[in-house]
């Protein structure tokens, strides 16, 4: 396997011979490796999940357009484009990906040295820094006008998610629906409200912009002195509502437990983390957000976390075909943990609204 990996890595424009390739990180979707060259340069090599990303060439095209735009701005502001934005490494053949003998798609980016990454946003200050990072990312792209290919039709689109939901419940392919009646009822009780917000996105009341769509804290790199440096994992950059990005920050930063915590007592939304996140995000984003976006910002966490409940539960009912799982009930455990988190957000909704209002300039 290692020789094969070295062979694949060597198809890219690297500075010297690749001497090692080893697994990196714990993504649920792609397979990620760290490749090191003889000169000591490190690169991220990824096998993209081509069941989920069916059009890797268009995905890479989107990423190149976005990173070009970011790099131009960074240079103008006197920053370092190789550190403050992701750098896609082309192949010797001049493409942003290579295809292996099994039809697998591989891509390479530069590993950004001397950075700090966090798996948990566990202080209000870190939440603030992360929120600022996402706000800045969106702000730098707020004047981006080139069209992006919609490489994930339906992703973060609640109208589509409920169609998928109805279909999977009707098919019930592995007979699991009967065991999760309580969770299904929980989702049904929220369908109307979620679809009401989605209809505002669909009819343009809530605008769409270039958004990241997977804003968990480990997708942001910080400099050693704590400043936000670079937003990474751009697989899902799409034209969508910013509510997805802010909402996924709320979902992933403010949870006092783990995304898949088996002990539901561990899980709640920490309002101090929410305050930090909101402060950081709005310090960058209040300059470009419209009234309708601001109006739904407090609801964004509930919106996206409920979507995540649907996605985990649908995958459980479908027989675990999408997310990588570590145990047979993993998707159900994830579902219950996310339900608990939504409930905690619902309990603190008024407080969240007050905090948003406090930081809107
Ligand atoms: C997936 O693989 P990762 O952690 O980057 C998923 C996100 C989910 C997340 C749940 C393309 O992201 O949408 O929110 O898992 N990405 C895709 O942890 O489905
Ligand atoms: Mg991702």
């Amino acid at each position: 396997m290692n020789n094969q990996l070295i062979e694949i890595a060597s198809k890219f424009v690297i500075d010297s011979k690749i001497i090692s390739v080893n697994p990196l990180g714990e993504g649920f979707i792609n397979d990620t490796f760290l490749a090191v060259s003889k000169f000591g340069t490190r690169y991220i090599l990824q096998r993209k999940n081509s069941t989920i990303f069916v059009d890797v060439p268009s995905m890479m095209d989107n990423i190149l357009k976005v990173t070009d735009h970011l790099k131009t701005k960074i240079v103008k502001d006197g920053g370092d484009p190789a550190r403050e934005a992701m750098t896609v490494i082309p192949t010797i053949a001049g493409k942003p990906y290579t295809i292996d003998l099994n039809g697998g798609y591989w891509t390479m980016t530069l590993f950004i040295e001397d950075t700090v990454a966090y798996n948990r946003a566990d202080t209000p200050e870190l939440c603030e820094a992360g929120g600022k990072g996402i706000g800045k990312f969106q702000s730098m792209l707020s004047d981006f006008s080139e069209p992006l290919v919609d490489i994930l039709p339906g992703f973060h689109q609640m109208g589509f998610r409920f169609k998928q939901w109805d279909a999977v419940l009707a098919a019930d392919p592995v007979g699991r629906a009967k065991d999760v009646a309580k969770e299904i009822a929980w989702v049904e009780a929220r369908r109307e409200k979620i679809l009401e917000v989605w209809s505002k996105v669909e009819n343009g009341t809530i605008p769409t912009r270039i958004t990241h769509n997977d804003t968990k804290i480990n997708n942001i790199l910080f400099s050693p002195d704590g400043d936000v440096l670079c937003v990474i994992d751009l697989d899902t950059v799409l034209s969508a509502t910013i509510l997805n990005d802010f909402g996924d920050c709320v979902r992933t930063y403010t949870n006092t437990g783990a995304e898949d915590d088996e002990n539901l007592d561990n899980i709640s939304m920490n309002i101090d983390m929410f305050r930090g996140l909101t402060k950081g995000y709005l310090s960058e984003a209040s300059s470009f957000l419209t009234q309708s976006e601001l109006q739904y910002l407090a609801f964004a966490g509930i919106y996206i976390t409920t979507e995540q409940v649907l996605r985990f539960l649908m995958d459980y009912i479908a027989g675990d075909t999408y997310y990588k799982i570590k145990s047979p009930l993993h998707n159900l455990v994830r579902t219950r943990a996310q339900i608990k988190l939504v409930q905690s957000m619902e309990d603190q909704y008024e407080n969240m609204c007050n905090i948003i209002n406090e930081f809107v300039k």
Side-chain angles (χ1 to χ4, degrees), residues 115-327:
T115 66
V116 186
Y118 299 90
N119 277 323
R120 276 193 78 85
D122 49 10
T123 63
E125 291 72 29
L126 185 54
C127 293
E128 185 180 338
K132 191 164 184 264
I134 295 303
K136 192 171 167 202
F137 178 83
Q138 290 176 351
S139 162
M140 286 173 87
L141 289 163
S142 60
D143 61 341
F144 180 91
S145 51
E146 282 177 78
L148 293 185
V149 179
D150 185 7
I151 55 142
L152 288 173
F155 195 72
H156 290 333
Q157 301 191 354
M158 290 310 290
F160 169 80
R161 290 300 179 192
F162 271 105
K163 279 195 190 118
Q164 216 182 7
W165 169 259
D166 290 336
V168 104
L169 286 184
D172 191 18
V174 287
R176 289 180 179 172
K178 62 180 185 323
D179 309 329
V180 289
K182 218 172 107 195
E183 287 76 11
I184 292 173
W186 186 94
V187 168
E188 289 300 342
R190 283 153 184 84
R191 181 196 289 253
E192 198 183 315
K193 176 70 190 168
I194 297 288
L195 287 179
E196 181 197 314
V197 178
W198 167 246
S199 74
K200 300 229 163 16
V201 178
E202 216 177 9
N203 70 21
T205 311
I206 299 172
T208 51
R209 309 170 180 279
I210 303 303
T211 48
H212 182 279
N213 294 296
D214 188 9
T215 54
K216 60 180 89 111
I217 196 81
N218 63 9
N219 280 336
I220 302 179
L221 301 179
F222 295 85
S223 66
D225 52 18
D227 284 337
V228 170
L229 194 62
C230 179
V231 176
I232 56 169
D233 187 6
L234 302 183
D235 290 359
T236 52
V237 281
L238 294 168
S239 195
T241 161
I242 57 91
L243 297 180
N244 297 335
D245 281 2
F246 183 73
D248 220 30
C249 287
V250 179
R251 182 180 79 83
T252 55
Y253 293 13
T254 70
N255 188 354
T256 51
E259 182 180 71
D260 58 352
D261 222 306
E262 293 196 32
N263 182 356
L264 296 182
D265 291 340
N266 288 341
I267 299 171
S268 65
M269 199 238 1
N270 180 316
I271 200 80
D272 296 327
M273 304 290 180
F274 179 81
R275 166 182 280 275
L277 162 65
T278 303
K279 184 177 176 202
Y281 178 69
L282 284 178
S283 73
E284 292 284 337
S286 40
S287 62
F288 66 87
L289 292 184
T290 63
Q291 205 47 47
S292 66
E293 289 170 308
L294 290 170
Q295 189 189 333
Y296 285 97
L297 214 48
F299 190 69
I302 295 174
Y303 183 73
I304 204 82
T305 312
T306 304
E307 186 203 91
Q308 201 63 67
V309 170
L310 261 88
R311 292 176 65 195
F312 285 144
L313 187 53
M314 283 194 285
D315 201 31
Y316 180 71
I317 297 169
D320 310 308
T321 60
Y322 189 92
Y323 290 109
K324 290 181 192 168
I325 52 168
K326 288 184 178 159
S327 60

